[in-house]
Structures are given as C-alpha cells and as structure tokens.
Amino acid sequence: MTTSAPPYDLLAVPHAGITFAVRGEAGALARLRQFTAPFYQSVAEPSGQLWELNLELTDEKAGHEPSDGSEPDHRAEFDAVARTLTVTCPSPRWLPVLGLRYTRTIVRTLAIAAGSVPLHGAGIDAAGVGLILVGDKWAGKTTAALSLVRSGTAALVSNDDVLLHEVGVGWQMVGGPRSMGVRTSSLGEHRPLLHPAELRAAAGLHPAKRPDKAFLLPGALTALGGAVRATGPAHAVVELVCRPGEPVRHDELSGPQAAGVLRRYLETSADRRRLALVEALGAPAPALTDRTLASLVGSLRFHRFTHPVDGWMDGFLAFVNEHVGFEGTAA
C-alpha cells in the first residue's frame, strides 16, 4: 500500500527570489499562509532559490503551551548548503510563528548580501508616498506608525525593521511578516484612540500573552482599520526623539545630519537573535558604502521630530500631513 506525500505549500518571496516549500500539519500550513500574507505569495510552481521548510510538532508534550503565554521551547535545524530548515516545537499555535522567524532571517540575510540596506524603523506607504520612522527604543515608532495607518489611507510596510532596495534612481521599502508589539501603556496616545478591548481582539491570533504588551500579526491590522502592503516607495525619513518636558519641535536635516541618522539606525546584523543561521548563510554584515550613503541622502528627505512623553500625536500627524505629504493624516 502506498501513502501520499505529506501536504506542502509553495510560498514565494518575489523581491528576494526565494520560494519556500513548506511541509507540515495542514493547520500549521494554513496559519503560516495567513501570517505571512501579503509578503509571501502562494504559487503553483517554485521560482528562484528553493528552500525546504519543515514544521514539526514534537511527540513529547505535543499540544502543550506554557500557561503564562510565554514562548515554548523549540528546536531549529538547518543546512544552508542543502537549503533545508526544520523547526520543531510542541505547540501548534506557536509552530508557524517560530517558522516564519527563520524564513525572515533567510530572506533578510540574502537581500542584504545582494545590496539591500536594513534600517531599524517602521515603513509606511500612503498612496505612493513612503515614510520611514526611525528612533531609539521608546521613541514612539510603533505608536506613530499605527496612528498613521489608522488615521488615513496609509498602509504598513514594515514594523521595527525595513529593507531599502535601490530601484533605478530611487529607493523602495520592502517589509516582512514580523509581529508588532503594542505597549498597553501607550494606548491613550494613539489616534484614533485605541481601546484595550479592540487591541486584545486584534491580537487574538498571536499566541504570546503579556500583561504589558499585545502582539499583532501583520494581517491583524485590518481589524483595527489599517492595511498592510509588501512594498512601497521611499521618500522621507523621520527620526523620532522623545524628550520629556520639552515641547514638540521638528527640524529638516542637512546632508551630514542625514548621513548620521542612516549610520545610527543601520541594523548591524540581518538578525540579532538567529546569528547561527546568519553565519551559516555566509553573508557579509550590513554596511553603508560611500556611494550608497550618497544615493540615500540625495534621494530622500530627512526630518527630526522631537516630542514629549504625552500629548504629541496630534502634532505629529499634522507635521506629517504638511511636511511629508500624507493626505488625510491631520487629527
């Protein structure tokens, strides 16, 4: 008696020239498709570089999840030469989330090796106007990005990391299926106001549970009135700076200041957590050549928006509407 082959999906990442042949339990495959859209596309035939991704539930403690909502133990085995990756864990809900983290590492590493520039920031596209928000931790990048997406016609391209690809004489933002962590303490700053019940409902698909933060998978933004886009043009960079007790202020940056911003927020690795996989892929660390730096500074506009801890979002939306050109974002 013969048995059929295990179910599999072909998920293509067009901008990276990679297709993942994903094998595993049908429910895990369905969730992975849902979690990675629109960044990965279901296809009938592979194109470009083919990777095999296996999502496997462990026999021991299968179905077990930590009671506190924390991430379960998992194992990842990979062979960069054979282009195979196997991710194993006991939780059906966590398995596709863990799997997509490793696929993102592969995609980002190879894209950076091909010349893409990784910035620690959020990318937003509003009707063809592309904005990148950069800043240190607690600067308000996620709050600002969500407010832009929910306040007007903008779509989120990427949260917390964005790849810049050179296209002709300009640059393009490329995103990926990374979850967005929203601090519950920030909800009063969001525009429109984001209520805890709304956030909890939208975050229901993500298995992580923390009292101080909710995690949104990219597609969950539609439940909050937002949209997600895989790519978008890049036109402007805004550095967010939080200065407690100081008033709202915005400045247009000079060429040397813009170059400093790019150097400051350039990611130092394709993935700071999965370093063994990055090393196995053999790609060089991200770098800004003089030519790339000159192209970015010459192609994009650079601003700095300084704000206090509270009560700054209306001023930020008005600033973006006037100085960046995002229609319909003024509060």
Side-chain angles (χ1 to χ4, degrees):
M1 185 178 81
T2 60
T3 58
S4 60
Y8 69 92
D9 277 351
L10 291 175
L11 297 178
V13 190
H15 72 270
I18 297 174
T19 300
F20 292 102
V22 192
R23 299 180 184 275
E25 184 265 331
L29 300 188
R31 286 190 293 274
L32 187 68
R33 284 195 303 272
Q34 182 181 15
F35 295 168
T36 58
F39 306 100
Y40 300 176
Q41 301 174 5
S42 293
V43 294
E45 297 291 336
S47 60
Q49 192 177 106
L50 182 65
W51 276 78
E52 180 180 316
L53 169 63
N54 301 296
L55 301 178
E56 297 181 357
L57 284 172
T58 55
D59 293 332
E60 184 180 359
K61 296 183 179 179
H64 172 75
E65 293 186 15
S67 59
D68 61 358
S70 60
E71 184 177 309
D73 292 335
H74 74 281
R75 186 174 70 254
E77 300 173 339
F78 46 82
D79 185 332
V81 176
R83 297 175 185 164
T84 61
L85 168 65
T86 299
V87 179
T88 307
C89 91
S91 167
R93 294 207 313 151
W94 272 100
L95 188 56
V97 175
L98 297 170
L100 73 85
R101 289 180 185 173
Y102 286 89
T103 65
R104 285 183 60 253
T105 301
I106 294 169
V107 170
R108 284 173 56 79
T109 302
L110 297 182
I112 291 167
S116 294
V117 177
L119 290 182
H120 180 66
I124 304 100
D125 177 20
V129 179
L131 169 64
I132 303 160
L133 299 173
V134 297
D136 294 330
K137 192 174 183 180
W138 298 93
K141 298 186 296 297
T142 298
T143 303
L146 263 180
S147 294
L148 285 169
V149 169
R150 296 175 63 239
S151 294
T153 58
L156 183 75
V157 175
S158 186
N159 176 65
D160 231 18
D161 60 44
V162 61
L163 288 174
L164 294 180
H165 292 244
E166 193 168 16
V167 181
V169 295
W171 288 82
Q172 180 186 55
M173 303 182 294
V174 175
R178 178 170 182 163
S179 60
M180 173 183 283
V182 182
R183 292 186 179 89
T184 53
S185 60
S186 72
L187 298 188
E189 292 299 308
H190 287 252
R191 295 293 183 269
L193 286 176
L194 184 53
H195 299 285
E198 289 180 276
L199 181 61
R200 285 195 300 271
L205 285 176
H206 201 289
K209 306 297 176 189
R210 279 176 46 180
D212 63 325
K213 185 180 284 190
F215 294 89
L216 299 173
L217 291 157
L221 287 183
T222 57
L224 297 175
V228 182
R229 196 165 296 152
T231 63
H235 295 102
V237 175
V238 175
E239 180 186 22
L240 292 174
V241 178
C242 181
R243 295 264 174 81
E246 293 192 15
V248 164
R249 187 180 76 251
H250 58 82
D251 304 284
E252 188 166 355
L253 303 185
S254 66
Q257 289 173 316
V261 166
L262 291 170
R263 292 190 184 99
R264 186 156 54 249
Y265 299 106
L266 177 73
E267 290 281 10
T268 57
S269 172
D271 191 318
R272 288 168 284 176
R273 296 190 177 185
R274 281 155 282 279
L275 294 174
L277 178 54
V278 173
E279 183 178 356
L281 292 168
L288 281 170
T289 65
D290 290 343
R291 192 203 69 80
T292 297
L293 195 61
S295 176
L296 285 166
V297 171
S299 301
L300 309 179
R301 304 186 305 276
F302 290 79
H303 303 266
R304 179 175 293 127
F305 187 89
T306 305
H307 63 85
V309 175
D310 304 311
W312 59 279
M313 189 51 62
D314 292 337
F316 173 75
L317 293 175
F319 155 76
V320 171
N321 187 51
E322 180 179 356
H323 294 276
V324 181
F326 272 29
E327 296 291 340
T329 57

